[in-house]
Amino acid sequence: MNCLLCNGQVDQGLTLSQILSFQALTTDSVCSACRRQFSPLNRVKTCRLCGRKLLAAMPDPCLDCEKWRRGFPYPFASRSLYEYNDAMREFMKRYKFMGDYRLRAVFSPILKAELRTTHRLIVPIPVHESTMATRGFNQVTGLLESLKLCECLATREQQKTGRQSAKNRLTRVLAEQPFKLKPDTQAQITAKPVVLVDDVYTTGTTIRHAAGLLMAAGAASVVGLTLAR
Amino acid sequence: MINHISELYGRQIKLSDLSEELQHHPDIHVRPALAKIAGRWVCTRCQAKLKPTLAGLPSGQFYCYECIQMGRMDTLQGLATVDEPNRFAAVKHPMSWRGHLTALQAACAQQIVEVFKDHRRHLLWAVTGAGKTEMLFPTIEWAIRHGLRIGIASPRVDVCIELFPRIQAAFDGVSSVLLHGKSEAPYQYCQITVCTTHQLLRFYHAFDVMVIDEVDVFPFSGNPMLHTAVSNAIKPSGGLLYLTATPDRSLLRAVKSGYLSVGYLPIRYHGHLLPEVTIIKLPKIAAQIKESRLPGQVMTMIGRLVAAKQRFLLFVPTIQDLQRVGAAISREKIRCRYETVFSADPKRLEKVAAMRSRSLDFLITTTILERGVTFPGIDVLVLKADDRIFSSAALVQIAGRVGRNSERPGGQVLLYCSTRSSSVKACDRQIKQMNQKARQLS
Ligand SMILES: [Zn+2]
Ligand SMILES: [Zn+2]
Ligand SMILES: [Zn+2]
């Protein structure tokens, strides 16, 4: 078999489990040289609220998360599996922006292993309809293929009101809710614990929009999981 | 975004890359990007027959995963083409090159012109340093005089980058363009196109004269997609020339079956023989490199070359070995300037440029620099030459880096290995055979 990323030979016998000390899986879809370019966050110190790698001088939770704690009305913590480094940026470019759907296999076994034992409802962040039409897939659900998902979120058209008001940045950002609950899905999440899944945690705004919406709709608790941070 | 119709002459471009206005131009033909042939999706651009399980998208669409690096072809896309019009300004004296071909080169060059006059397919098997590029000049000159479109492609971007300025200088009044994945320069319709074989996927029936340089090399060798790209890029009436110093089995088979005619040039342009290889057996070399150490003999040689200001390339089989060997050399505290280079190295082109401008004493490299790149007057050292990465063709090419210019036609090729592998032996034998042929000619 050839490596999905570099097309080189995948070294036989070297399984994901050996590299990542997860349970035994099939042969990796990526060669070990490509795999090594990704930087897992499970072996470094990370912010307990947003999952970013903490450098020596940084407090835990990090300053960004302190700000969120003051401005975001619900308890929320998210973690990520990998650093958003050059290799991950390149991966996202090829998977998401160039649209090579096959590349989901680079990380789907890892994300799925991560979620296999969760008791939470797995809610993927949705993509816009127009993206779905041109790209042909949602990059998040691609990574979660064959897991039982609760796809209760949809994107909604952005509303341009309230921008000029004197609200602080955080309230304003949160007011521009990009998501909505799909009709008749509220019952599915009421009193349920939820894990929201996204591909990349950048500023944390997107995933908090979704988390806020789910909490307001009655979810018992919401945590986040992203592939990259 | 493509705005001008000329950018579509002889090309096949995603419809969505065209400006709104251009999409409705009457000269454009549009084919669906994927077509269902005998119940199976086939990519119009690269001709790949797609596996439904891999090509299917959750939206119900299909896409081509084979040529996706050139932008995605999918069932929502069209592929736009405008027929090649050969719309080139007449140039009275196209060739600005004032050099001379040797008698042997001139004979080969004439053979090549005939290939294209007869719309044939031909393989020129010329030793490393034979002066292949210059032998193309009479063909290019002839083609320009006849208003033909010329494409020169190589699988390796380094080869293209090295080739382009030489072609440009030799035909300075003729429009020319260099295309490769790393270049930011916009596409332009030109009479001469120098590009990687991947870029040929964007051409359709464009070239009357098509030359593929270093044809035996990865990623071209054994890649049906790139072979399709070549045959699509040539006009049905066009001719095709393959150039190499080390033809692989499939090329030799094509010669045997009569699909390709063949010509040989066993002697370098400066008339000197190929430097023969020195094989040095070091039984523990692999184990030592694994521990980031180098055999004393190798270290001494490196020290001696650096002290003598004799520049060189140090070849290793793998990326991991680059670091190990680099670490071993730094520990030794030899005063030297070097860099390590591998194919996915983001700074590769800069490092090669630094070596060329003599701001480095040596490069430690994987086989990526085995060909195409010329540094005058260098030596080469190959560590673990018996590693399976080094095919006999790779070793012949590596040895071919040495003695390229007439001021230093000799030089050392040192192959360090624990055993004389079949590739090491074959390399030694091939070089000696070529030299034998050359002696008979001169
Ligand atoms: Zn790989
Ligand atoms: Zn944080
Ligand atoms: Zn294709």
Side-chain angles (χ1 to χ4, degrees), chain A residues 99-102 104 135-137, chain B residues 34 40-43 48-66 72-75:
Chain A
D100 197 349
Y101 187 55
R102 283 181 315 163
R104 67 194 187 281
R135 187 180 294 162
F137 62 94
Chain B
L34 261 57
R40 207 162 167 195
W41 287 109
V42 175
C43 176
K49 293 192 183 68
L50 301 168
K51 293 203 178 92
T53 49
L54 296 178
L57 294 169
S59 62
Q61 305 292 335
F62 291 84
Y63 82 105
C64 175
Y65 43 82
E66 291 290 350
R72 194 172 87 176
M73 294 282 106
D74 58 44
T75 37

